[in-house]
Amino acid sequence: MFKTIQITLTLLVLTFVTNCDQSGKVDESKANQNLLVGLVAGNSAGQSSVLGSLAEIRGVWRDGFCSGGSCTGFTSTLSVAQDPSGFGIWTTGSGYFRIIESSNANRNLIYQYLPTATFGNASKYTKILWTEPQTTDCENGASKCFYYCTVLNSSFTGFNTLDEARNFSTASYSSADPKRSGCGGFGWSKALFVSSNPTSWP
């Protein structure tokens, strides 16, 4: 009888200790699932924030260059949109860049080159400045247009780090006369509106 009571008490103590040890813990598979859900939610929020801050220039545009008081070209496609994987992207010509951050209030964004980029730009960063879209003085009968400037370092390549791109001074850049100057000693580029959402990728 005493032995039975002793075994019963031992089992109760072991059960109590085990339960105390496990209290507040989550099953590993459940924890991993919660982590994944959190990462997806955070990722979506970040993407939404970037895309929301690009609202005024999102869409498909024809890309041109300005110099000497006029803008020409408009033969390549510029897309500012969300790619099939859900990220904000800036594509122009054959270039495909993931947008890292953007600000509609300051009208600038920073994108990152792909690891396979050429001319020493692999995985580097570039800042883009843009002007408020306008509905007048848009070539080729476009309903709206905007100017933009690609900010590069003194070597005319991308920045090595995100902080370098963020902190690079653009005080000397000006959109006062974008058809002639104000973009690092050159005229600005110009984008003519085509459509709000791309149906295919250039």
Side-chain angles (χ1 to χ4, degrees):
M1 175 74 173
F2 176 74
K3 191 158 190 162
T4 303
I5 292 172
Q6 191 176 23
I7 290 172
T8 304
L9 284 173
T10 302
L11 288 173
L12 285 171
V13 168
L14 284 173
T15 303
F16 177 75
V17 168
T18 302
N19 285 340
C20 285
D21 186 50
Q22 296 299 318
S23 67
K25 291 188 176 178
V26 179
D27 176 73
E28 184 179 358
S29 63
K30 185 69 174 171
N32 288 339
Q33 182 182 357
N34 290 342
L35 177 61
L36 180 60
V37 169
L39 287 173
V40 170
N43 199 24
S44 296
Q47 293 167 16
S48 175
S49 173
V50 166
L51 292 170
S53 66
L54 294 170
E56 69 179 9
I57 60 169
R58 284 182 69 181
V60 180
W61 310 77
R62 282 291 174 195
D63 206 7
F65 301 93
C66 304
S67 178
S70 63
C71 302
T72 58
F74 305 111
T75 55
S76 63
T77 300
L78 166 67
S79 290
V80 184
Q82 186 172 12
D83 73 6
S85 68
F87 285 90
I89 55 98
W90 175 282
T91 70
T92 181
S94 60
Y96 187 97
F97 315 105
R98 178 168 286 178
I99 297 169
I100 303 301
E101 61 184 35
S102 57
S103 168
N104 195 60
N106 296 320
R107 292 200 169 91
N108 66 52
L109 63 86
I110 296 174
Y111 65 63
Q112 185 175 25
Y113 290 89
L114 295 176
T116 54
T118 55
F119 304 109
N121 281 317
S123 300
K124 291 187 177 181
Y125 301 86
T126 289
K127 181 180 283 189
I128 298 286
L129 311 177
W130 77 83
T131 63
E132 181 179 6
Q134 59 193 55
T135 56
T136 58
D137 194 28
C138 300
E139 290 80 358
N140 301 343
S143 60
K144 62 180 175 178
C145 53
F146 71 92
Y147 295 93
Y148 72 91
C149 172
T150 304
V151 178
L152 299 171
N153 62 21
S154 58
S155 301
F156 296 99
T157 61
F159 298 94
N160 291 320
T161 68
L162 180 57
D163 277 343
E164 282 182 32
R166 279 181 184 145
N167 299 325
F168 185 81
S169 175
T170 56
S172 63
Y173 288 69
S174 170
S175 60
D177 189 7
K179 291 185 178 182
R180 297 180 185 278
S181 62
C183 181
F186 301 95
W188 288 50
S189 297
K190 194 171 187 179
L192 307 180
F193 182 72
V194 176
S195 69
S196 296
N197 295 298
T199 53
S200 62
W201 298 96

